[in-house]
């Protein structure tokens, strides 16, 4: 069974009728559905914004099967295939995106800067443009599948007091290193956690893949078996779902090495936990978010939705997400809403010249800290694999749920 076959169509409900102040319903996850953004969008656009915040699998399911329940689908390129297959979303017209020319080339061409490492898996550039036959591809056209917005380059985190000078921490293989037995955690999301595990298994010499971005059933089974054996032996402390949960594991001293997202690093920094994000020699696991239009949008509400898309890349929202440790597709627009210290730390890879806040205004980055991996441009050119919905996604989800229990 491939990744499309388990989703069935449902009849769309009538389009939303607007009376007075428009209401825009946004379906997504905690990655970008921040209350600070919702309130500011309402004020700036003069609309009511309703966030429907779910985990990844629930969000993808609702997006594909219930397009009448949302107006904007705020998700990632690796979640596109299923919703596009069922025509749950409509193409985005770039002629209605005011700053389209300013969206950087990471999604348009697949790389920014010299000597890029394009990476395997669901490379956004290969899914951005709508082709004449309505397939998604990399040949430029007027219409796109998703407006590129938030993105990042992830790896794993480790306690620097337990691994001085990062010894043994420059490879994904650290996640399978026996010296951390009982103190390792992985992210509990199949289309993400499986790649952390696969990169670790490959780096440790335990497995090889014909295409790590599109594993066969046999490769999935072999990898899950490796994980099951380690779980039974007590190697893994936990599987976490949110950045807050990930941070709590390290704060409590339950983990020493684990999958980690940038907001979790920020929380740990604010608590004084000695932690660093690894710079794997094999490259990062990357992801790219964006905004899609529900197929049921038309008329006035479609205009409102385009206003929201344009607002997202206009500057201020990108300054908010950077304080989570994420990047935006129009960085120069966001720069004017950041302090010089913020820009230098987050984008240039320089040491923080002052304490820096998170999106909630609380201190997250201490003065003198340096973000691992260097500048944005260095990190963007060191990608091993992108988050991916593989051909055997449904099979993977079942096997992953058996693993995690």
């Amino acid at each position: 069974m491939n990744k499309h076959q388990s989703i069935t169509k449902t009849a769309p409900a009538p389009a939303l009728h607007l009376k007075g102040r428009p209401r825009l319903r946004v379906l997504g996850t905690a990655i970008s559905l921040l209350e600070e953004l919702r309130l500011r969008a309402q004020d700036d656009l003069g609309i009511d914004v309703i966030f429907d915040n779910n985990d990844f699998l629930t969000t993808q399911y609702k997006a594909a099967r219930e397009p009448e329940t949302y107006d904007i689908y705020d998700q990632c390129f690796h979640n596109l295939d299923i919703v596009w297959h069922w025509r749950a979303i409509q193409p985005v017209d770039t002629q209605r995106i005011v700053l389209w020319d300013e969206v950087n080339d990471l999604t348009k061409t697949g790389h920014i800067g010299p000597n890029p490492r394009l990476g395997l898996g669901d490379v956004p550039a290969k899914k951005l443009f709508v082709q004449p036959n309505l397939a998604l591809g990399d040949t430029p056209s007027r219409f796109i599948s998703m407006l590129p917005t938030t993105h990042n380059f992830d790896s794993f985190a480790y306690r620097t007091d337990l691994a001085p000078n990062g010894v043994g921490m420059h490879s994904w293989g650290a996640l399978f290193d026996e010296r951390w037995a009982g103190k390792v955690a992985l992210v509990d999301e199949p289309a993400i956690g499986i790649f952390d595990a696969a990169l670790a298994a490959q780096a440790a010499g335990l497995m090889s893949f014909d295409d790590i971005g599109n594993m066969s059933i046999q490769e999935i089974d072999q990898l899950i078996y490796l994980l099951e054996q380690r779980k039974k032996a007590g190697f893994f402390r936990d599987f976490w779902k949110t950045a807050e949960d990930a941070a709590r594991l390290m704060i409590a001293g339950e983990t020493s090495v684990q999958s980690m997202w940038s907001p979790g690093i920020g929380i740990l920094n604010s608590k004084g936990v000695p932690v660093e994000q690894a710079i794997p020699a094999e490259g990062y696991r990357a992801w790219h978010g964006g905004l899609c239009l529900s197929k049921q949008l038309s008329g006035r509400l479609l205009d409102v939705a385009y206003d929201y898309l344009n607002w997202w890349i206009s500057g201020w929202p990108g300054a908010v997400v950077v304080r989570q440790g994420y990047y935006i597709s129009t960085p120069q627009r966001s720069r004017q809403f950041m302090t010089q210290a913020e820009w230098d730390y987050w984008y240039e890879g320089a040491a923080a010249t002052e304490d820096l806040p998170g999106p909630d205004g609380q201190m997250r980055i201490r003065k003198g800290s340096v973000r691992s991996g260097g500048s944005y441009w260095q990190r963007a050119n060191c990608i091993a694999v992108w988050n991916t919905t593989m051909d055997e996604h449904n099979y993977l989800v079942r096997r992953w749920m058996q693993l995690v229990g």
Side-chain angles (χ1 to χ4, degrees):
M1 179 178 291
N2 66 29
K3 59 188 171 184
H4 301 314
Q5 290 174 313
S6 68
I7 303 294
T8 58
K9 292 184 179 179
T10 56
L16 177 67
H17 293 286
L18 301 173
K19 294 182 180 179
R21 186 176 168 103
R23 183 182 69 165
L24 196 69
R25 302 164 301 169
V26 182
L27 172 65
T29 68
I31 287 178
S32 50
L33 267 56
L34 303 180
E35 183 66 0
E36 295 87 354
L37 293 170
R38 189 186 71 83
L39 295 175
R40 181 64 175 259
Q42 289 191 149
D43 289 343
D44 287 353
L45 300 176
I47 62 175
D48 292 329
V49 178
I50 298 171
F51 280 172
D52 185 2
N53 191 336
N54 305 274
D55 60 58
F56 285 94
L57 289 178
T58 301
T59 299
Q60 188 180 62
Y61 178 89
K62 293 181 72 171
R65 296 197 62 177
E66 303 169 7
E68 73 280 357
T69 66
Y70 63 90
D71 305 307
I72 300 290
Y73 177 44
D74 185 333
Q75 251 301 298
C76 297
F77 276 86
H78 74 274
N79 294 120
L80 265 176
D81 278 356
I82 291 175
V83 292
W84 189 260
H85 175 79
W86 292 117
R87 298 292 182 258
I89 56 175
Q90 62 178 278
V92 175
D93 185 352
T94 59
Q95 292 189 4
R96 300 189 67 175
I97 303 301
V98 178
L99 300 177
W100 176 243
D101 289 343
E102 296 185 29
V103 171
N104 70 13
D105 283 339
L106 188 59
T107 51
K108 290 178 177 178
T109 65
H111 58 82
I112 49 178
N115 305 315
R117 290 174 61 176
L118 187 62
L120 299 171
D122 283 345
V123 178
K126 295 180 180 179
K127 296 177 177 291
L128 178 62
F129 296 104
V130 179
Q131 305 302 301
N133 63 356
L134 294 184
L136 301 181
D138 56 6
T139 301
S141 70
R142 170 178 168 179
F143 294 96
I144 57 175
S145 57
M146 170 183 279
L147 176 66
T149 56
T150 311
H151 53 285
N152 205 12
F153 316 105
D154 292 341
S155 64
F156 60 93
Y158 63 93
R159 288 279 300 265
T160 56
D161 55 332
L162 302 177
N165 301 315
V167 174
M169 293 300 172
H170 299 298
S171 168
W172 282 98
L175 287 174
F176 275 5
D177 191 328
E178 288 295 333
R179 65 176 169 152
W180 308 117
K183 294 282 191 174
V184 180
L186 295 177
V187 54
D188 180 12
E189 207 292 312
I192 300 175
I194 195 67
F195 293 108
D196 286 2
L199 288 164
Q202 184 167 264
L206 300 174
M207 274 192 72
S208 61
F209 301 87
D210 288 338
D211 180 353
I212 201 170
N214 195 21
M215 302 174 205
S216 67
I217 286 178
Q218 292 74 23
E219 289 170 337
I220 292 170
D221 283 341
Q222 185 179 351
L223 181 55
I224 294 295
Y225 175 78
L226 289 175
L227 296 173
E228 286 174 337
Q229 294 304 109
R230 278 165 173 71
K231 184 182 178 185
K232 289 175 183 177
F235 184 86
F236 296 114
R237 175 62 187 85
D238 207 350
F239 293 82
W240 55 266
K241 284 185 175 293
T242 69
E244 291 75 16
D245 290 340
R248 278 193 286 269
L249 287 170
M250 275 200 167
I251 291 171
E254 296 184 38
T255 58
S256 303
V257 182
Q258 65 174 86
S259 300
M260 185 67 71
W261 296 342
S262 287
I265 294 283
I267 293 170
L268 292 166
N269 285 336
S270 72
K271 300 295 184 182
V273 178
V275 65
E276 190 73 65
Q277 182 186 19
I279 311 170
E282 300 85 8
Y284 293 102
R285 174 185 50 73
W287 59 270
H288 208 303
L291 303 174
C292 300
L293 300 171
S294 173
K295 71 174 184 181
Q296 56 84 34
L297 283 174
S298 62
R300 182 184 173 200
L301 191 56
L302 180 59
D303 295 338
V304 171
Y306 271 106
D307 287 344
Y308 184 78
L309 266 59
N310 281 301
W311 175 83
W312 242 99
I313 59 172
S314 65
W316 189 86
V320 173
V321 300
V322 81
R323 296 177 187 122
Q324 293 176 277
Y326 299 152
Y327 299 112
I328 193 69
S329 58
T330 50
Q332 293 300 330
R333 285 282 166 172
S334 294
R335 185 173 185 173
Q336 62 185 308
F337 296 96
M338 301 162 62
T339 65
Q340 189 62 45
E342 287 178 313
W343 175 265
D344 289 346
Y345 176 83
W346 292 115
Y347 276 92
E348 299 291 349
T353 56
E354 60 192 38
D355 290 345
L356 302 178
D360 58 2
Q362 300 298 311
M363 191 278 292
R364 287 293 178 93
I365 304 299
R366 296 181 183 275
K367 181 179 178 179
S369 298
V370 177
R371 189 177 194 183
S372 67
S375 71
Y376 170 61
W377 298 272
Q378 288 173 297
R379 291 160 61 89
N381 284 306
C382 191
I383 298 169
V385 64
W386 291 86
N387 287 357
T388 299
T389 299
M390 298 183 290
D391 288 344
E392 298 298 343
H393 177 71
N394 287 330
Y395 182 77
L396 165 63
V397 171
R398 291 196 299 273
R399 297 291 283 118
W400 183 268
M401 292 176 72
Q402 292 168 2
L403 165 71
V404 174

